[in-house]
Amino acid sequence: MKQTNDKKHYFMKKAIEISKKSILNNGGPFGAVIVKDGKIIANSNNKVTSNNDPTAHAEVMAIRKACKKLNTFDLSGCELYASCEPCPMCLSAMYWAHIDRYYYANQKEDAKEIGFDDHFIYEELDKNPKKRSMPREQLMREEALEAFKMWEKKSDKIEY
């Protein structure tokens, strides 16, 4: 459901307010709001340092809350408002959650200016995996394929 400009601004204002409050509570300067049918169903601030969890970005935390509240992993029909352009991890999570549309305020360049630079991740993803800075090694593929074969044959699987 697309929102009117007044509603969009209202929801974005909420995300920005959350980002400001986050700073006062030992979080990073990021906030996110998830909306369904014109109502806020979840929101969160960045909790990386307060939770000691590098994946606890505002968007990911809001997605977790929305999924729990709606009792589903599929957030089709939802929109996400973020105080800043999502990083690669958050954007990926939004795709996996099937968010319909997202809005953001600050740009990734604005985040870079205050020390939140995701550019290296984009560069790493563009590289041949063998040339990435994080070493990698494949182990036990044949044994792991057994789980994939089991999944493929499972008649009552829930696809996502």
Side-chain angles (χ1 to χ4, degrees):
M1 166 187 229
K2 286 188 178 177
Q3 306 296 333
T4 64
N5 276 338
D6 286 346
K7 282 279 198 177
K8 289 179 195 176
H9 289 123
Y10 172 79
F11 297 133
M12 185 57 74
K13 184 176 179 184
K14 291 292 184 189
I16 293 168
E17 287 172 5
I18 292 166
S19 74
K20 290 176 181 177
K21 287 180 185 174
S22 181
I23 298 165
L24 303 175
N25 294 307
N26 298 320
F30 304 98
V33 170
I34 296 180
V35 174
K36 182 170 180 127
D37 298 326
K39 295 184 178 99
I40 295 174
I41 58 164
N43 65 68
S44 188
N45 64 299
N46 176 285
K47 297 178 184 267
V48 170
T49 56
S50 60
N51 286 9
N52 290 318
D53 179 354
T55 68
H57 291 199
E59 298 92 335
V60 170
M61 297 302 291
I63 288 169
R64 290 172 182 166
K65 285 181 177 181
C67 289
K68 187 171 185 175
K69 182 174 185 173
L70 297 176
N71 195 33
T72 183
F73 55 82
D74 185 346
L75 297 180
S76 295
C78 294
E79 298 177 334
L80 189 145
Y81 292 78
S83 64
C84 187
E85 189 172 0
C87 74
M89 177 186 67
C90 292
L91 186 58
S92 296
M94 291 159 56
Y95 275 106
W96 279 113
H98 303 285
I99 297 287
D100 283 0
R101 172 185 285 263
Y102 73 95
Y103 304 89
Y104 63 94
N106 291 320
Q107 298 175 358
K108 61 185 174 188
E109 293 80 10
D110 300 324
K112 179 181 179 178
E113 287 181 19
I114 62 165
F116 295 94
D117 186 7
D118 299 324
H119 189 71
F120 75 98
I121 296 172
Y122 291 105
E123 288 177 345
E124 285 288 301
L125 292 174
D126 282 341
K127 290 180 185 175
N128 178 314
K130 293 177 183 175
K131 296 188 182 214
R132 293 181 182 158
S133 63
M134 186 184 301
R136 66 187 206 120
E137 180 179 350
Q138 185 175 17
L139 299 171
M140 300 180 67
R141 179 174 180 255
E142 292 303 317
E143 290 83 350
L145 281 173
E146 292 173 21
F148 281 14
K149 290 173 185 171
M150 288 172 63
W151 174 259
E152 192 174 41
K153 292 176 185 174
K154 185 174 171 59
S155 61
D156 61 343
K157 63 187 165 202
I158 300 172
E159 303 217 16
Y160 55 95

